[in-house]
Every structure is written in structure tokens, then in C-alpha cells.
Amino acid sequence: MVSRLPGDLSTFVGRAAELASVTQALREHRLVTVAGPGGCGKTRLAVRAARAVSGDEAIWVDLSEETHDDQVVARVAEALAVPVPHADPAALVATLADGPAMVVLDNCEQVRAGAAAFAGVALSRCPELTVLATSREPLGIAGERVWRLTPMVLPEAIDLLLARAGATSDDHEARAAARRICDRLDRLPLALELTASWAGTLSLREIAEMLHEGADHPLLDGGGRQAPFRQRSLADSMDWSHRLLTEDERVLLRRLAPFQQFGADAVRAMGDGMLTALRGLVDKSLVVCDVSGPRARYRMLTVVSEYARARLRAAGEETEARHRHAQVHLDLLGALEPLAAADKDRWRERVHEFRADLRSAAEWCLAGGDVDLGRRLCVAAAWWWHLTGDRAGRELLRRAAALDPGDDDALQARVLVSLALVGEVVGPDADTFAAAARAAALSEDTGTRLLAQQLTAIGLLHEDLDAARALAVRTHDEATEDPFSRDAAGVLVGLIDQLADNHTSARQWLERSAPALLSRGDRGIATTGLAALAIGQANTGDLAAAEETAHRAREAAAPLHDFVRFGTAAWTLARVTALRGRPSEAETILDELQRVIDEASTPPYVPGWFATRAQVALWRGAVATALDWCERERHAFTPDLLLTHAAALRTAGDEEGARQRLEEASASPTLAGMPLLRSAALAERAEQLAPTDPVAAADLHRDALRVRHGHGLVLGCVDSLEALATLAGTPDRSGLLFGAAARARDETGYEAGRPQVELGLERGRALTLDQAVDRVLRVRRLASRPVTGWASLTPAERSVAELAVRGLSNPQIAAELFIGRGTVKTHLARAYAKLGVANRTELARTSTEGDPGRR
């Protein structure tokens, strides 16, 4: 949900002149910073000014919890509810092009460099955008208009104090006391509000007298009377409030100092009587309560938190408080484990509430506060960092792994598998899967071992599909008491079966496992499973179901703000949409994220993205655009991208370039186990041969058709029939094949690349797809061919014979051509018969004496 301007919790009093000035500045300048000391009312003035200029359309970004500059982009992306890769400012700015007219960055002082970096990039690239910031000091970038907020004028300060104290303005005694208080507190709004909270206990006159009596109490920064007067005023106000607290309230204020936000459960964990103390701190305005969500959340304003930390240090309790802070969050994550298993969506919402505390606690522990506690906290936080793609989380886990004392293999195994879990999302590499393998070897805990096995299987996907599948099936079968591991492994098995075009099996695994994960809020892996299922449904001809599943995948990914998962779901939906004949709509879907990819300083890698962009462009006849998309890929030239590039180059007339790309794709070690791509390579080779050798081209198309039909690749069968129809040689045969293909297109809704053929289709429309394929594969060839000699060999027979002449063994030929050894033996036997030879020696002699192409 997009974060809009917050509502007022109380009436807005005074600041009329300042509001008018800031509002005017926002209309004249694109970057305005309201600067001033803590407690002077910057936030409330910013809300009012932003609302005056942009209504309620401005985006509100609260940075008060953040202490790391790299979190600014993440918080803005969260406020905009958009996925952004690697917290990249340039990528984020791309989403603002058609977005809000104003972004408000509140409380920038702790992350001033990050706020300045975002504002600088955003303003330079979005000419219609305005940024309003609040900070104790300016951001310090070009074009910034700084409005320094001074104390309230006396009449407005008195009105504010009286309003908050519930006194009437015509009570002269109260007004006189209010004036003395305002003078003493330098008319700072926060100091006045803190003081007014005591009006239910003390009269304003008593408050005024006590404030003057307490003038010599310690100050916030330890600077004594040398501190700036406004700072002394606020500090004295808090000192005075602190003196009036009960002992429990003082203890709780100190213990809360390390917290960015907290709930009642954290307070209860601090001891008996602490909830009562919390109510007292809220009543005295030292703690702010937010009850807008399902659970009350509490926080201290920045200046109050600073005061509490000063008190904590003065009491010598900082180490104890930081340790308690970390332990509270470890215990809280432990208490939430059942929710994580039952409803990961609700679990994410809960952990989101204290995400900043998790990081600060882990950093303190790993820096020497309590390494063992920090390592356990990192393990507990790993799923949060996995689901949010948090690179900082991976770095913390790397530190945790490196700090292994060597005396707890079980904990080290959990740290390693957590490192692999987060690394698999934010940037998988050899170290990621090596960590998973080490975890599997170390752990005796079933849950840790199952997760490690699954991550190891993912690492095998690009090396050995059979081994990856065997390990995934083993994990699934062993996870009888672990629904997540069972279903996640099931998705992985389905994905591997999909890659191997075993669609019936893939569909069974994915249809069972992905919805089960989604029902428990495990959106990440569920999204991957649904996207794979949609592609499988499309390839097997169920395009209506594929589009529905692709929509489900995108909806499942949206709440995660994970750019790679959302991007994968988006291109899946775009591809299916284009297959159904709506390429413009498909490109609109892709364009929504393309700006982010283009603007990112480090473009994210979304496997399949550019191959889909190029294929959609080819389907609508934009060859130059397709070539451009292929050439923009910078991460991995996968076989599907290479084959699409080959088709685009061939269509553009670059025969040599098309041949080179085809050879590169054919050399891929994964091609043999992926019938969809293997048949696409055969079809592309056929298209390249068609102008000069239509007979050989037809044979290759039949080979591709055989592969496609054998694996249920319905859309591929349609493509093969249409390709063979163009080479059929007679109008009757051509019409038969075009007609059968047209019927299959009508039945499946497959519109991409439909040929403009209307006449002579009636006989073919009477054939089902299976009947048409059976006819084609029963025909030995569509054009005449000699009965003997090298010219009589089919392309497959000729390829096998030529490699045999070069001295390759049958296993080597099988590996070179991605066919079985039995197939090699069959082709050689047929070649021997047609050439009238009995062995390889005679074959070699014939190749030089009888083949015109070899003289």
C-alpha cells in the first residue's frame, strides 16, 4: 500500500507565517528542507505544507528508525509499494516518472547522505517532482532551499501550551503561567507538549515554578550552560519531566533507549510492572503510541530517545540494555515461528514492524557485544532477509559464519544454511551453494538438513538436472513432518521436470505444491512455481489456464517487492499474453519494469527477460527492436536467447550471424536435456537451410516435430506443421497442413505468428493435431530424393556419417548431436545401406570418392 501523508493526532496550533512561507517555497523550488533542532515542530509543519501544495497525494517516507544510508531507497520503495533491485536510487527514480508530484522525507538527520543521494538523483531525472525534507541540518546538495525553523512566536506558543493543557485562553492566571513556561522553554513545541502532559497532575502555575527551580539539572548533551539555549530549554524540560517519573518509569525509559520501535510484548519481557510504566510514559508524551494497525506500536521521538540513551550511559547500563534488546528480538522471532509456518504473510507483517531493530541488534552483537547471541539472531532473521532480498542481511550472515568459534556444529550449520538461503536470492554464486553443502554435512537437525539439501539441488540446476531432481525428490520424500520443505522441494521437482519438458509430471508437482505454499503465505517459492506452471500450460496448448496462472503468479509476487520474482512473473504474463495475440498489451506489461532495469546503476538479472522482450518484438514483426533487445542482455546468453537472436538475425538477412548464434546455442551442455530448446534449434537450422536445401530443411522440421509431439509441446507442433506447409511443394499438401495448424490455433487460442493463409484449408481443418502430425511423420519425405548415394541421406544420417568419417566413436557422435547412442547406430546402419558400404573404412573411402561435395 502506498504511504500517504499521516493524519493529525491533535489540532495544529500556530505557525501560520511559517506554513505560508514553506508552502510558497515548495511552489518555487523543487527541493525544500525544513531544518531546525529536535523538537521545533518540523514534521508537523512539513505535513501541513505538503498537504497545502499536493493535497493528500504526496508520498510520506518516515526515516526516523533508520541509521544506515543504504536504507533510504528501500524505505522510499516501500512507501511507493514498488519493487526495486538492490536498493538502487537510479532504478527507484524510474518508478517516479509517472508517479507522485511530491515525496516527503521526514527525519533525515541520521541518514543525511542517503537522503541527499536519493533527492539528487530523483530531482535530476524527474523534472515534475518536488522533494520536501525535514532534518536538523541541510542535505547539502545543489538547488536546495533551506527553511530554518525558529521557535514559535510567543502568542502562538502560549496558545499551543494552553490547548494541550486543556486550559482556556481567557484564564488570566493560566495564561500568565503559560507565558513563564514558554519563556523558560524557549517556545519549542515539543518541550511545551511534554510539559503540558503534566497539566492533569499539576497546575500551570506549579509547573512554571518547578521548571524555574530545576534550572541547574544535568543537560541532554552534557554541555552544561555552554549548550545552545534552545537545546538547554528542551533538555531542561525533559530533565524536569524525568524527575517527576516513578522509578519504574525511569527504568523503562532507559531500557527502551536501544529500541527503534516496540510493542507491548517487548515491554512485558522487561519485567513486572513495566506495562504500567509504559502507560505512564505514554501519558506523559515521552512515548508515542500508534494504534492504527492491528497491534499497538510504540516509539520515542528522536530527541526523547537521545535523552534516554544519555540516561542509560549515565547509569552504566548500556551493555545490559543492548543485550536485553537483542534477546527480546530473538525471543520474539522464536515466538513467531509457528506463525511463520502457518501464515508467512502475517509473519512478514509482524517482522516488518521491528526490521530496523533486528539489524541494529545483530550488528551490536557481532561487533563484540555477544557473538553467540548475534549468530543465533542472524539465523532467526534469515527468512526475513531472504524474502526482502536484503544484501545487508547476507553480509551479517557472512560475518556470523566467519565468527564460528568451532564448538557448536549445529549452530554453524544453521548459520551456513541461512547464508545460502539469503545468498540464493540476493546473488547466488559458488560460495552460496558451497555453504549449503557444508551445512548439510554438519547438521544433524532434520529441518536444517532438508533446507540445505534443497539449496544444494538448486545449485545443481545448471550442472546436472538428473542429480538436482534426485536430491529434490529425496528432500520431498523425507519432509514428512515439514510442510514447507515438502512443498518447496515439490516446486523444485516440477521446475526440473518442466525444463526437461516432462509436462505431465511437472504439472502434477506444481499444481499440488505451489498453491499449498501460497496458502501459507510462502509467496517467494510459490511465485516461481506458478510462473513455471504458466509456461508449461502455455507450451502444452492450455493458454487460457496459462494466462490465469500467470496473473496469480504476479499477484503472489507483488507484496514481496522482490524485483527478480516480480519481474519473472511479469515476463511470464507478457509472453502468454503475446501468445494469445496481444503483443501490445504484453509490451505494456514489460515496459512497467523496463524503466527500472534501464535506470539501475547495476541492472538486475531477471532470467528470461530479454529473450521474452525479443520474442514479443519478433511476433509483431519488429525485427530491429528484437535485435536490440537481444544485444542488450549483459548477464547470461542462454540457449533460448541465442535461438531468438538467431531467428532475428536470419529474418534481418544476416545469415552468418544467425549461423553463429545457432552454433553457440547448440553447444550448450543443457540443450540435450531440454526438448523444447533442442527442437527449437532443429527448427532454426531448418529455416537457415530452407532457401538452399528445402529437402534437408523439411527433414529437420520433421525431426523437430517428432521431438515436440513426443513431449506434448502443442504450440511447437503448430509451428512445425506451418513450417512444413511452406515446404510442401503442392497446394493440396500445403493447404492440408495449414488447415490442421489453423484448427489447432483456434482450439488453443494461439495467435502469435499466425500465417495469413485463408484458401484451401478445409480438408486440413478436418484433422486433429495428432492426426496431422501422424500423417507428416509417416511420410518419408515431402520432396523427391535419390534412393542411393550421399544425396539420398537424410540430414540426420548425413551428420552422423560425416562425424564417423572424422573418426568420432558412437558415444562421441551422440554427445555432439545430442541424440542417443541407439539412434546413432540406427542412422549409421541406414547410411551404410544407402551407400553400399559395410564399415567405417569403406564409408571414409566413399566420402571422398562418391560425394560431390567432398571432391
Side-chain angles (χ1 to χ4, degrees):
M1 182 182 296
V2 173
S3 177
R4 300 296 185 187
L5 296 174
D8 290 326
L9 297 178
S10 56
T11 57
F12 185 78
V13 179
R15 294 295 196 191
E18 292 90 338
L19 178 59
S21 297
V22 173
T23 300
Q24 186 61 32
L26 285 171
R27 293 192 171 108
E28 296 174 352
H29 302 273
R30 296 182 56 223
L31 172 60
V32 176
T33 299
V34 178
C40 69
K42 300 183 293 294
T43 295
R44 297 202 66 177
L45 181 64
V47 171
R48 284 283 167 154
R51 185 168 286 124
V53 173
S54 64
D56 288 319
E57 296 304 308
I59 296 297
W60 181 261
V61 185
D62 182 2
L63 299 173
S64 61
E65 294 183 39
E66 307 307 329
T67 57
H68 297 79
D69 290 313
D70 63 0
Q71 289 299 300
V72 172
V73 170
R75 296 291 77 77
V76 178
E78 187 178 280
L80 289 165
V82 296
V84 175
H86 315 321
D88 189 321
L92 173 61
V93 167
T95 68
L96 293 169
D98 300 319
M102 182 181 295
V103 172
V104 185
L105 305 176
D106 189 38
N107 291 297
C108 296
E109 51 271 358
Q110 297 186 97
V111 287
R112 197 163 62 95
F118 164 73
V121 175
L123 293 170
S124 67
R125 301 192 184 187
C126 301
E128 302 301 318
L129 180 68
T130 297
V131 174
L132 172 60
T134 72
S135 179
R136 295 189 187 181
E137 54 185 313
L139 300 186
I141 61 176
E144 181 181 21
R145 171 71 165 89
V146 180
W147 181 265
R148 297 189 183 276
L149 193 57
T150 59
M152 300 182 79
V153 296
L154 184 58
E156 291 182 346
I158 293 173
D159 288 344
L160 174 64
L161 182 59
L162 292 174
R164 298 295 184 259
T168 59
S169 59
D170 56 1
D171 183 335
H172 297 294
E173 182 178 351
R175 195 168 186 86
R179 175 167 185 151
R180 291 177 63 201
I181 294 170
C182 291
D183 286 341
R184 180 66 187 84
L185 298 181
D186 199 31
R187 308 184 302 283
L188 285 176
L190 178 58
L192 298 175
E193 300 218 18
L194 289 173
T195 302
S197 67
W198 289 96
T201 305
L202 301 168
S203 70
L204 289 179
R205 179 178 176 179
E206 289 174 314
I207 292 172
E209 291 173 352
M210 293 179 72
L211 276 173
H212 280 272
E213 290 170 2
D216 293 328
H217 282 282
L219 300 178
L220 173 63
D221 69 341
R225 309 316 297 178
Q226 301 303 313
F229 183 61
R230 278 173 293 186
Q231 184 175 329
R232 286 191 282 116
S233 300
L234 180 58
D236 285 350
S237 173
M238 288 193 292
D239 275 334
W240 176 77
S241 292
H242 187 265
R243 286 172 27 234
L244 298 179
L245 298 179
T246 68
E247 183 58 28
D248 279 352
E249 289 168 348
R250 293 176 190 171
V251 168
L252 182 59
L253 186 71
R254 295 195 301 272
R255 291 180 178 178
L256 292 175
F259 286 80
Q260 305 289 337
Q261 272 200 33
F262 54 93
D265 43 8
V267 175
R268 278 196 299 268
M270 294 184 191
D272 295 337
M274 291 295 102
L275 275 180
T276 301
L278 174 63
R279 183 174 62 189
L281 294 179
V282 171
D283 289 342
K284 297 171 180 67
S285 299
L286 292 170
V287 169
V288 177
C289 178
D290 179 3
V291 293
S292 60
R295 290 163 303 281
R297 298 294 297 169
Y298 304 88
R299 66 183 178 90
M300 291 188 287
L301 297 177
T302 302
V303 291
V304 178
S305 180
E306 290 171 351
Y307 180 84
R309 285 196 293 273
R311 286 287 177 179
L312 183 66
R313 288 191 294 270
E317 300 172 351
E318 186 170 16
T319 298
E320 179 186 353
R322 293 302 301 263
H323 187 278
R324 183 185 297 107
H325 174 250
Q327 186 66 54
V328 161
H329 286 96
L330 180 61
D331 293 344
L332 182 55
L333 285 169
L336 289 174
E337 281 184 4
L339 183 61
D343 189 342
K344 196 65 73 56
D345 277 341
R346 286 181 57 209
W347 181 86
R348 283 189 304 105
E349 291 172 3
R350 291 295 309 275
V351 179
H352 180 270
E353 294 171 351
F354 53 87
R355 65 192 184 281
D357 286 283
L358 275 182
R359 179 170 172 178
S360 65
E363 287 176 338
W364 179 82
C365 288
L366 295 180
D370 186 333
V371 171
D372 181 72
L373 177 58
R375 281 158 51 81
R376 288 185 284 125
L377 186 58
C378 285
V379 168
W383 269 108
W384 168 255
W385 292 332
H386 167 88
L387 290 172
T388 56
D390 193 326
R391 290 174 176 267
R394 179 173 64 173
E395 293 310 308
L396 286 169
L397 280 161
R398 281 177 170 165
R399 288 168 58 189
L403 289 169
D404 175 25
D407 59 359
D408 190 342
D409 284 351
L411 177 56
Q412 180 66 358
R414 291 165 61 208
V415 171
L416 289 171
V417 79
S418 298
L419 175 58
L421 178 70
V422 179
E424 191 268 326
V425 171
V426 302
D429 53 23
D431 290 342
T432 297
F433 302 113
R438 292 201 304 275
L442 282 174
S443 180
E444 296 180 359
D445 172 69
T446 301
T448 301
R449 180 175 51 79
L450 291 174
L451 182 56
Q453 285 179 188
Q454 183 170 327
L455 290 164
T456 303
I458 292 172
L460 290 170
L461 286 178
H462 299 292
E463 300 175 13
D464 189 336
L465 284 179
D466 290 339
R469 189 182 193 281
L471 188 53
V473 170
R474 174 182 154 195
T475 302
H476 175 272
D477 293 345
E478 291 177 349
T480 54
E481 304 298 325
D482 185 345
F484 168 78
S485 292
R486 180 196 64 217
D487 295 326
V491 165
L492 183 55
V493 176
L495 181 61
I496 294 168
D497 283 347
Q498 175 108 315
L499 291 172
D501 290 306
N502 297 324
H503 291 287
T504 300
S505 175
R507 192 163 184 168
Q508 291 172 347
W509 282 100
L510 294 171
E511 286 181 341
R512 179 173 63 247
S513 302
L517 286 166
L518 194 57
S519 71
R520 297 190 299 271
D522 283 304
R523 293 176 175 273
I525 299 172
T527 295
T528 301
L530 289 171
L533 178 59
I535 291 298
Q537 290 169 327
N539 289 333
T540 54
D542 195 351
L543 284 169
E547 185 168 0
E548 179 183 349
T549 303
H551 275 292
R552 288 171 61 203
R554 192 166 69 157
E555 291 166 2
L560 294 176
H561 302 308
D562 181 319
F563 189 85
V564 174
R565 285 193 171 113
F566 190 79
T568 299
W571 75 247
T572 299
L573 178 59
R575 182 175 282 263
V576 174
T577 301
L579 285 168
R580 301 196 76 184
R582 308 194 306 273
S584 295
E585 182 180 335
E587 292 194 326
T588 298
I589 294 169
L590 295 167
D591 287 343
E592 291 176 4
L593 295 184
Q594 189 64 53
R595 288 180 301 186
V596 177
I597 294 174
D598 291 343
E599 294 295 333
S601 55
T602 303
Y605 176 49
V606 181
W609 181 268
F610 284 105
T612 297
R613 294 239 62 163
Q615 186 60 67
V616 171
L618 270 184
W619 279 329
R620 67 178 181 84
V623 179
T625 301
L627 288 170
D628 180 60
W629 287 125
C630 290
E631 290 159 6
R632 289 176 64 178
E633 175 61 83
R634 293 291 180 270
H635 291 88
F637 289 92
T638 54
D640 57 334
L641 179 71
L642 291 168
L643 290 170
T644 303
H645 199 185
L649 289 166
R650 170 176 49 79
T651 307
D654 185 352
E655 296 178 6
E656 180 59 23
R659 186 192 65 76
Q660 289 178 357
R661 281 292 185 251
L662 175 60
E663 294 307 320
E664 291 173 28
S666 300
S668 170
T670 61
L671 201 67
M674 303 171 73
L676 176 74
L677 296 178
R678 191 169 81 245
S679 62
L682 288 169
E684 176 57 30
R685 192 176 298 279
E687 291 298 322
Q688 293 183 17
L689 279 175
T692 58
D693 192 347
V695 174
D699 277 336
L700 285 169
H701 275 308
R702 277 200 298 278
D703 289 343
L705 177 60
R706 187 175 291 105
V707 172
R708 288 166 168 170
H709 190 252
H711 289 84
L713 300 171
V714 171
L715 304 192
C717 289
V718 171
D719 293 338
S720 290
L721 289 179
E722 291 171 347
L724 287 164
T726 64
L727 300 171
T730 67
D732 285 347
R733 189 177 294 277
S734 176
L736 188 75
L737 297 182
F738 273 130
R743 173 178 169 175
R745 282 183 176 275
D746 292 343
E747 290 174 348
T748 61
Y750 178 29
E751 293 296 329
R754 183 191 278 266
Q756 301 301 310
V757 179
E758 298 179 2
L759 300 177
L761 307 183
E762 292 75 13
R763 278 203 318 130
R765 283 187 177 276
L767 298 176
T768 65
L769 185 66
D770 287 341
Q771 289 170 337
V773 171
D774 184 61
R775 283 201 179 198
V776 169
L777 296 182
R778 286 189 181 195
V779 176
R780 183 174 179 183
R781 51 190 169 277
L782 296 177
S784 62
R785 188 195 303 278
V787 177
T788 61
W790 278 88
S792 70
L793 301 185
T794 67
E797 292 165 353
R798 186 182 185 106
S799 296
V800 170
E802 288 177 346
L803 291 175
V805 169
R806 286 166 50 190
L808 274 68
S809 65
N810 282 11
Q812 290 172 325
I813 294 171
E816 181 76 11
L817 298 178
F818 304 104
I819 57 178
R821 296 182 185 183
T823 304
V824 172
K825 188 175 181 180
T826 300
H827 285 323
L828 271 179
R830 290 176 177 171
Y832 285 178
K834 292 179 181 179
L835 296 174
V837 299
N839 53 50
R840 291 180 177 236
T841 302
E842 294 178 6
L843 177 65
R845 188 182 306 118
T846 304
S847 72
T848 57
E849 295 176 356
D851 181 13
R854 294 179 174 271
R855 291 178 181 170

